[in-house]
Amino acid sequence: MSEEVTNDATKIDGKNRAGGNYLYQGGFCILAGKYDEFAKWCKKNGQGLKKACPMGIEFVGIFMVRQTSEKEAGDYRIVWRLDNYASLDTFQTATQPAGPLHQLLTELGSFSDRGANWSQIMMQDMENVVSGLFYD
């Protein structure tokens, strides 16, 4: 059963998402010869990434791209769900050296080929767009 969407404070699954419900996607490639180690790391640390997320942020997963028209967006995607746009500040704090996600993301970054294709995208669920914010 879906809850009603309003312009002042959106609630989905009982959570306040005023103008929220965003997906952040980062695309990347891994270093040559590191696939097996990377795959093992993902299996071992997926739950750790979920548990390390602060309130308002959810680790959705790391995905291998199987089909795309985006030829320079990277071969893998890491996807996060944010309750609202302000969660970006929370995310930044959580990834600082003293933050709970820092060590895991540093390890993940060790597989990334920094000279290869990459991408970033932020998407907002259209059911949660506060009217009048854009294009009205």
Side-chain angles (χ1 to χ4, degrees):
M1 183 161 107
S2 177
E3 292 186 43
E4 183 177 332
V5 176
T6 64
N7 287 348
D8 54 350
T10 301
K11 288 202 175 232
I12 300 173
D13 300 328
K15 297 179 182 177
N16 185 0
R17 303 215 175 119
N21 201 22
Y22 289 84
L23 288 179
Y24 170 82
Q25 174 185 287
F28 60 98
C29 294
I30 59 170
L31 294 164
K34 292 286 189 173
Y35 172 79
D36 289 339
E37 187 179 350
F38 171 69
K40 288 177 188 174
W41 187 94
C42 290
K43 289 176 186 175
K44 177 183 173 189
N45 293 289
Q47 289 301 312
L49 284 164
K50 288 181 187 224
K51 290 177 184 177
C53 287
M55 186 180 293
I57 299 168
E58 174 189 356
F59 170 70
V60 176
I62 298 172
F63 299 86
M64 175 188 288
V65 175
R66 291 294 192 183
Q67 184 176 0
T68 182
S69 62
E70 302 295 327
K71 302 303 181 201
E72 297 183 5
D75 298 328
Y76 300 88
R77 304 288 191 278
I78 187 166
V79 180
W80 309 88
R81 197 202 52 72
L82 292 79
D83 279 352
N84 53 50
Y85 197 76
S87 295
L88 285 172
D89 291 335
T90 304
F91 187 77
Q92 182 179 17
T93 299
T95 59
Q96 295 304 307
L101 288 172
H102 179 76
Q103 180 63 37
L104 289 167
L105 293 178
T106 299
E107 290 174 16
L108 176 60
S110 72
F111 296 104
S112 181
D113 183 345
R114 306 261 186 225
N117 297 330
W118 64 275
S119 62
Q120 293 182 350
I121 187 169
M122 176 78 96
M123 300 173 281
Q124 184 179 17
D125 180 352
M126 284 301 296
E127 290 184 19
N128 296 298
V129 173
V130 177
S131 70
L133 288 181
F134 307 102
Y135 311 117
D136 279 354

